[in-house]
Amino acid sequence: MKRTAARLADGREILYYDTDDGAARAFPDTRALDSSATVTTSEVRRDPLLGDAVVIASHRQGRTHLPPADACPLCPSTPGRTSEIPAPDYEVAVFENRYPSLAGDTGRCEVICFTPDHGTSFAGLDEERAALVLAAWTDRTAELAAREGIRQVYCFENRGTETGVTLAHPHGQIYAFPYVTPRTTRTLAGVAAHRERTGGNLFEEVVARELADGSRVVLEGGHWTAFVPYAARWPYEVHLYPRLRVPDLPALGDDARAEFPRVYLELLRRFDRLFDRPEPTPYISAWHQAPTDAGRDRDDFALHLELFTVRRAADKLKYLAGTESGMEAFMNDVRPEDAAARLREVASR
Ligand SMILES: [Zn+2]
């Protein structure tokens, strides 16, 4: 893999990841961008009752919302049209978000473009490109985690307008948080309590239980296991774990790394076959990684990916309504065992 680093006109960093070691990507950004426009006023506040961190990012209201395809900021630049990516072509590109929720001492937000092809999706990539995306996620995690003040790196993809996507081009995001997210904090508390009580690792026991039961297992590779969790919150939700427990992407072994593209592409393609609809299934794909601080929390953690859709039927979406938004009490209309059976049924032949 070749990595080329450059700067955009307003000083933001852009990185190109290429399979071809000869790729030349250092093109100047000729746009007249005002660097002061990227100054942010984000603030991290703590909810006094819950202890959860909340980011107040009031500067983001002016960001680009669903531009037409010919004005896409994630397509490569052409002689007549400049985008966020100055190069005329790329494989995978990462750059600092122009409208970040987190910046400066509140962290960093990056955009990762999976392909220069505006009209495709992650599920439409080939295994080589998916492997390059994994290499880029890994590189970003290692570099951001090493930065002063960063406590957790989160790589994710929102796909479909139903999930709040504001750009149609296949892309994901990488957030470097200056705190451990509420979800991870709660998970770690549960894992630590279980260790105190039993001496065992809760992540490992959950995966072992799912494998022994089998009714919710969706896919088993040699190095990865995918299942619908016992108490799934979302209509179709899959958790993907490497067989060998590691804290984060940089710690992933070569075998698991080599098998990931096939397994993940298969899961995404199954999601697209769930419903009889013209457009692909909306989803959120979220990498859960250990906090960056060395210590027990990091040693206890299990890197995994959580993939879920807000669609519960061809004509129905799952909304986070009164119970979920008001009380964090999820009501799931699809039995996890039925969701798993359906996800096995739509396997590639
Ligand atoms: Zn595009």
Side-chain angles (χ1 to χ4, degrees), residues 69 72-76 81 116-118 168-170:
C72 175
L74 309 185
C75 279
R81 197 185 69 80
D117 181 357
H118 185 90
H169 194 110

